[in-house]
Every structure is written in C-alpha cells, then in structure tokens.
Amino acid sequence: MDLHILDHKLRVTSISKTGLEQYTHPLIKLIFLRNRTRCKFFSLTETPENYTVVLDEEGFKELQPSEHLQVEGSTWLPLNVVSNGNASSSSQAVGVTKIAKSVIAPLAEQHVREKDLSVVVETLVEEFNIFREEGGESVPVHIPHATVHPVLIPENQFCVMSLDPDTLPAIATTLIDVLFYSNSPKEGANADQDMECIKFFSFSLIDGYVSLVMDTEAQRQFPADLLFTSSSGELWRMVRIGGQPLGFDECGIVAQISQPLADSDISAYYISTFSFDHALVPEEDIVSVTEMLQSQRKDISS
Amino acid sequence: MDLHILDHKLRVTSISKTGLEQYTHPLIKLIFLRNRTRCKFFSLTETPENYTVVLDEEGFKELQPSEHLQVEGSTWLPLNVVSNGNASSSSQAVGVTKIAKSVIAPLAEQHVREKDLSVVVETLVEEFNIFREEGGESVPVHIPHATVHPVLIPENQFCVMSLDPDTLPAIATTLIDVLFYSNSPKEGANADQDMECIKFFSFSLIDGYVSLVMDTEAQRQFPADLLFTSSSGELWRMVRIGGQPLGFDECGIVAQISQPLADSDISAYYISTFSFDHALVPEEDIVSVTEMLQSQRKDISS
C-alpha cells in the first residue's frame, strides 16, 4: 500500500453564513456545471459557524474576494492511498490498515491539515512506502505535542453517501435548497455551542466522485433511490473537536482522535473544516468512543 | 368570452447583464423553490440588453435594490381571457378571436403594457364583456397615436414551449446553465444592433404554469421529452420592435403590430421586455409579415 502526496494544490476558504448568497453563482457552477469549469477538487461543508470551501486553484479563481470570504494563507496537499497488493502481514497492521482505510482515505478526499501529515507519516512510516509525487523525497517527521481539545457529541445521526455524478442533475433542486436556502431565521438559532443537534452538511466533488455527508433529517428530503450508502443504511454519530476554533497551526489533532479509534478497531470518517474538526464514528460505537474520549481527557488533566 | 383585468399587481424590473450573478440566489429561489416563496407570477426574459424580470409583489420583495436593478415606477395588471361559451357569431370575429387567442392570452401571461390595454379595449370592446375585477367599472378608452417604430427580424428560429411544473427539477441544471452561465465573453459580443441572430430566452412561471421561449440552439440543450410545443415542432420567427428603447409611456405599440397580423389572420405571441417588444410569428408567415411591416413603414413615411 502506497501513500501518495498528490501534486494538487488546494485552497481552504470560509464563506460567512450571511455571505453565502453572493457566492451562489460560482458555487452552483462548481457543483453542477462541470463543463464550465476545470476545477477537479471541490468540497463545501456547512457547519453552524460558516461554510468551508476547499478547492483547487482552478476553482479558487471563481471566488471573488469579499468581506465574506476568508482564505487560509497556505496551499494544501491531498493524500491518496493506493493499494499495491503488498499488504503487511503483522496482526499489528490491522489498526494501521484501519487508519489507512477509515482515516487516510477519507482525509485524502477531505483535505487533511498539511501539518497533520507528519503525524500520519510518523504513524505509518513502518507499514507504508511514502512518496511525494514530485521527487520521491520522504517527508521530514516532527513528533507533535498536541493540546487535547474539548469535544462535542451532538444528537443527530449522520449518513455518508455517494452519488453517481451523472444523476447529480436529478437532485439539483433539492441540493440547492438544502445548501443555499436552509437558513431560515428559525434554523439560524442553531449556531449555539450547547445545541443538541448540529447543522452539518458536506458535499464534495473530487475527480468526478460525489460524496455527501448529512444528517437523517436532511437525507429525508432527497430521493432515496439516488444516494448510496457505503454499507446499507449505516448511521454515524459525530465527534466535533474543538471548543475554540482550532486554527491552522497546530499539529496532531487528527491523530489525537484517530489513533485511539484505530487502536479500538473503530472506523472513522474525518472531516476538517475552517473552524473545527469532525470525526464520524459508527452509531453502535458512540458509547465506547465517548468513554474513551472522557478517559483521555481525564488522563491529561490529572 | 370575458376579459378580466386581474387584481394582481406586478412590478417590471430590469437586471443588468453584469448584475445577474448577484441576483442568482433570489432568482433560483423564485424559479425552482416554490415551497419557499409565495410569488405566483414570475417571468424572466433575457435580451441582448438586459434581463427583464416581471413579478408580483411577493416575488419583488426578494430582489434587493442595487445599482444593477432598475425598477419601473408603475405597477402593472395582468389580463386574463376567460371563455364563457358566448362566442360571437360574426365572421368578422375571426380576427378578434385570433387576437384574443394569440395576443391577449400570451399578453395576459406576459404582462402587456398597462397603457396598451386601452388599445386592446378599443379593439375588443364590441366583442367582449370587459370587467375590472375590483368593481365592474369599464376602463376609459383613449385612442392612441403611436409612432411607427423600426423593427428588426433576426435569423434565429424560436420555439414556444410549456413544461409540467413537476418536471422542472429535471431540467434545473440545464435551465440554470442557460439562464445564468451562457454569457461567456464570446457570446457577449451579441449585444449588437445589426446581429443576424439575437440572444433571447424567456422563462415564466405563472400560477404553476411554466412557459419557455427559446431559439432552436438553446432548445437542443434540453431533454426533448420534457418540453411541449403548442403544436408539434412549430417554429416561430421574431419581430423585434424598437430601434431605441421604447420606454413605458407610449401607447399602441402592441396594436401597431398585432392589428395588421390579426387582419391577415396570422398568429402572434407577444413578449414585452424592459427595452423592446417582441412579436413571434409562425415561420411560414415571416415573408408576408415582413412585407406588411415594410409597407406599413412606407405608408407612414410617405
């Protein structure tokens, strides 16, 4: 199994809730009109705070600067995990493979923090051959010293889904409704830290593959026959990481959550946004994940 | 046959070509998300100059003022022709009935100039019972003295189509593409007076009925099985009225074109926009219409 760091430059941006309207035109183009753009990597995630838009430089050109658009200074690299048949034979590898399958692959699609890359490399270096696409150089490894961040576990159940990109037009009006018009004043009150349910919706269109993450309430608005779940009807719960916006400098946030999950053989689907990180874990594991996170926090504070 | 002047107040607005992007959000809501708006009358027509948007006051609330939005000061009344079975028996009535079918009915959907109403009333008063919805009063009739305006007859062939509103989602991405993204710099050069083809596209959603007028080039982008033409495959040519923007004060512009057409028993579909008027006539009649218009202009200038 090889870990490729693609030579694909991504920008991480945030659009304010009130500014979304004025970005409707470029966003609809990037989501629905593939023949009008050369953007190959696009991801839009709504959280209670803002809309995180991660996209390649072709897509980034479409977003006009404004007071509503925040752009993170760095460019980011997507990872891609490619199986080459040389599976590790050690039983220890299960956890690592689990990370690769359940964390790295989603991260590759969901833009891991570049800094977190070193952590991942540290963890995986014995099991994987690691290449940077441009020259075959290995990445220097820094051992991170991460703060343990508070976590929030909202009540809603989430689905992770995919869609045949050719059927994207068939859900266009529903998707536009959910993405651009769901912030009625009533729902706006959700932007509260201690909410029971969280407003979270993620759409990504990467190299022609569509992924959607939404809660079951949003899911009911879509035609059931067009969206596919990875395994039938699997439901996920969310662990949202960070009491304060996390910023972009800190290392090891992903590993802090993903390492103990991998050790416990629990799948995770990880989505970073501009302000916070989000790990989705299977509904049936949420109790043990909660206990694990609580004991992790107790160990640190004691 | 009764002519009803509906108690429905319409606003006539124009959005500049460069300003369309910032109105994408409200326009998409008005076109596709009927459950999010109480607007019952919406019409959007693209011409080389601008986008004319005619809508009721519920819809008008959605359009934020800006330098890109021009709003005509008056409110306008839509007409509605209702057959009550009392068909006139005179053979003379054919022409008038033709107007009613081919001019008044489209006008009722397509916002006749309120001033032109008097002309229409003048023409029709002997054949129709005319009601103003609020009180049964008849409309005072002024005989108009209209300038004869230059006309332009572009080369493109047009289709007049309808659509089951429930299938609107199925053409959403195509319609969004055509309405909001067709102005590539190349096509922008079209805004020329002596063009051979004209950029013209009209969408209206009135009381749940969808009408579309587009040229055959635009039509090819839509799935053929969802759009219906009035009679199978009927093609229309356009007579565009006005060398200079017509303004909103002049009377009799509609009658100037529609009266001779009616006399010659030629159908017409009439669409007023912010700057110019447009009459669509059947392809096979364009030669005689051209001759008629030329002789009309010769008579006036001699």
Side-chain angles (χ1 to χ4, degrees):
Chain A
M1 192 172 277
D2 290 347
L3 182 62
H4 290 262
I5 303 164
L6 301 179
D7 188 23
H8 210 77
K9 302 287 185 291
L10 304 183
R11 302 305 298 258
V12 178
T13 71
S14 160
I15 297 173
S16 71
K17 287 270 164 166
T18 53
L20 186 72
E21 276 195 35
Q22 78 178 67
Y23 287 97
T24 307
H25 192 269
L27 293 176
I28 284 184
K29 179 171 168 181
L30 291 166
I31 296 172
F32 297 106
L33 305 176
R34 279 180 294 158
N35 55 339
R36 293 210 176 263
T37 172
R38 277 184 292 177
C39 176
K40 296 283 178 257
F41 190 112
F42 174 84
S43 137
L44 171 64
T45 304
E46 179 179 10
T47 58
E49 299 74 34
N50 50 40
Y51 295 86
T52 299
V53 179
V54 180
L55 68 188
D56 62 21
E57 307 214 315
E58 282 293 334
F60 182 62
K61 285 183 207 160
E62 304 281 347
L63 304 182
Q64 297 299 313
S66 86
E67 53 177 339
H68 296 293
L69 183 73
Q70 269 186 279
V71 181
E72 211 284 313
S74 328
T75 53
W76 301 76
L77 306 172
L79 304 184
N80 193 18
V81 178
V82 178
S83 167
N84 58 8
N86 295 331
S88 163
S89 55
S90 75
S91 67
Q92 182 63 10
V94 176
V96 177
T97 307
K98 199 86 184 180
I99 292 181
K101 277 200 210 146
S102 65
V103 180
I104 309 291
L107 280 176
E109 290 184 2
Q110 297 289 344
H111 57 87
V112 63
R113 280 197 175 70
E114 195 173 14
K115 292 285 176 53
D116 282 323
L117 188 53
S118 58
V119 187
V120 174
V121 169
E122 156 84 344
T123 313
L124 302 176
V125 74
E126 287 162 41
E127 301 289 336
F128 290 83
N129 308 310
I130 297 174
F131 301 95
R132 186 181 285 279
E133 290 281 294
E134 259 171 311
E137 275 179 57
S138 69
V139 178
V141 175
H142 298 283
I143 293 167
H145 300 283
T147 319
V148 172
H149 292 279
V151 295
L152 175 77
I153 301 177
E155 294 292 320
N156 19 2
Q157 298 174 308
F158 288 89
C159 323
V160 178
M161 287 177 291
S162 65
L163 175 74
D164 178 345
D166 294 335
T167 64
L168 197 49
I171 63 158
T173 51
T174 309
L175 188 55
I176 287 172
D177 195 8
V178 168
L179 281 178
F180 295 99
Y181 299 89
S182 61
N183 285 302
S184 71
K186 211 186 285 173
E187 294 172 325
N190 269 356
D192 212 356
Q193 273 300 317
D194 52 14
M195 60 211 126
E196 292 185 347
C197 284
I198 195 174
K199 179 127 199 154
F200 186 95
F201 188 96
S202 179
F203 169 89
S204 67
L205 175 53
I206 295 164
D207 292 327
Y209 290 90
V210 178
S211 305
L212 292 149
V213 177
M214 65 186 90
D215 67 12
T216 47
E217 194 189 321
Q219 186 207 13
R220 276 191 292 272
Q221 300 181 48
F222 288 86
D225 54 337
L226 294 175
L227 298 177
F228 304 103
T229 48
S230 45
S231 56
S232 66
E234 196 172 17
L235 292 175
W236 302 75
R237 288 284 295 279
M238 176 180 289
V239 178
R240 180 163 117 134
I241 300 117
Q244 297 292 317
L246 295 167
F248 290 89
D249 295 328
E250 189 181 327
C251 305
I253 301 169
V254 178
Q256 197 181 102
I257 299 292
S258 64
Q259 191 56 63
L261 291 180
D263 292 346
S264 309
D265 220 21
I266 294 170
S267 313
Y269 191 94
Y270 204 92
I271 301 174
S272 295
T273 65
F274 208 80
S275 305
F276 299 104
D277 279 8
H278 308 80
L280 294 174
V281 298
E283 165 95 83
E284 61 268 27
D285 295 320
I286 191 66
V287 173
S288 59
V289 168
T290 306
E291 285 168 4
M292 181 274 285
L293 290 167
Q294 280 170 345
S295 89
Q296 191 183 43
R297 270 139 198 80
K298 212 175 286 169
D299 290 352
I300 300 290
S301 65
S302 64
Chain B
M1 194 173 277
D2 291 347
L3 182 61
H4 290 263
I5 302 165
L6 301 179
D7 188 24
H8 210 77
K9 301 286 185 291
L10 303 183
R11 303 304 299 259
V12 178
T13 71
S14 160
I15 297 174
S16 71
K17 287 270 165 166
T18 52
L20 186 72
E21 277 194 34
Q22 79 179 64
Y23 287 98
T24 306
H25 191 270
L27 293 177
I28 284 185
K29 179 170 167 181
L30 291 168
I31 295 172
F32 296 106
L33 305 176
R34 280 180 294 157
N35 55 339
R36 293 209 177 264
T37 171
R38 276 184 292 177
C39 176
K40 296 283 179 254
F41 190 112
F42 174 85
S43 139
L44 172 64
T45 305
E46 179 178 10
T47 58
E49 299 74 33
N50 50 41
Y51 296 85
T52 299
V53 179
V54 180
L55 68 188
D56 62 20
E57 306 213 314
E58 282 293 334
F60 183 62
K61 285 184 207 160
E62 304 281 347
L63 304 182
Q64 297 299 314
S66 87
E67 50 176 344
H68 296 291
L69 182 74
Q70 269 186 278
V71 181
E72 211 283 313
S74 329
T75 53
W76 301 76
L77 306 172
L79 304 184
N80 195 17
V81 177
V82 178
S83 168
N84 57 9
N86 295 332
S88 163
S89 55
S90 74
S91 67
Q92 182 65 9
V94 175
V96 178
T97 308
K98 198 85 185 182
I99 291 180
K101 276 200 209 144
S102 65
V103 180
I104 309 290
L107 281 176
E109 291 184 1
Q110 297 290 343
H111 57 88
V112 63
R113 281 198 174 68
E114 196 173 14
K115 292 284 173 59
D116 283 323
L117 189 53
S118 56
V119 186
V120 173
V121 169
E122 157 83 345
T123 311
L124 301 176
V125 73
E126 288 163 38
E127 301 288 337
F128 290 84
N129 308 309
I130 296 175
F131 302 95
R132 187 182 282 280
E133 290 279 294
E134 261 170 310
E137 274 180 56
S138 69
V139 178
V141 175
H142 299 283
I143 294 168
H145 300 283
T147 318
V148 172
H149 292 279
V151 295
L152 176 76
I153 301 177
E155 295 291 320
N156 20 2
Q157 298 174 309
F158 289 89
C159 324
V160 178
M161 288 177 292
S162 65
L163 175 74
D164 177 345
D166 294 335
T167 64
L168 197 50
I171 64 158
T173 51
T174 309
L175 188 55
I176 287 173
D177 195 7
V178 168
L179 281 178
F180 295 99
Y181 299 90
S182 61
N183 285 303
S184 72
K186 214 186 285 173
E187 295 171 324
N190 270 355
D192 213 355
Q193 273 300 316
D194 53 15
M195 59 209 127
E196 294 183 347
C197 285
I198 196 174
K199 180 127 200 155
F200 186 95
F201 188 96
S202 179
F203 169 89
S204 66
L205 175 53
I206 295 164
D207 292 326
Y209 290 91
V210 178
S211 306
L212 291 148
V213 177
M214 66 186 89
D215 68 12
T216 47
E217 195 189 320
Q219 186 207 13
R220 276 191 291 272
Q221 300 180 48
F222 288 86
D225 53 337
L226 293 176
L227 299 177
F228 304 102
T229 49
S230 44
S231 56
S232 67
E234 195 172 20
L235 292 175
W236 302 75
R237 288 286 295 277
M238 176 179 290
V239 177
R240 181 164 118 133
I241 300 119
Q244 297 292 319
L246 294 169
F248 290 89
D249 295 328
E250 190 181 325
C251 303
I253 302 170
V254 177
Q256 197 181 102
I257 300 292
S258 64
Q259 191 57 62
L261 291 179
D263 292 346
S264 309
D265 220 21
I266 294 170
S267 314
Y269 190 93
Y270 204 92
I271 301 174
S272 294
T273 64
F274 208 80
S275 304
F276 299 104
D277 278 9
H278 309 79
L280 295 173
V281 298
E283 166 95 83
E284 61 269 27
D285 295 319
I286 191 67
V287 174
S288 59
V289 168
T290 307
E291 286 167 3
M292 181 274 285
L293 290 167
Q294 281 170 346
S295 88
Q296 191 184 43
R297 270 139 199 80
K298 214 175 284 168
D299 290 353
I300 300 288
S301 64
S302 66

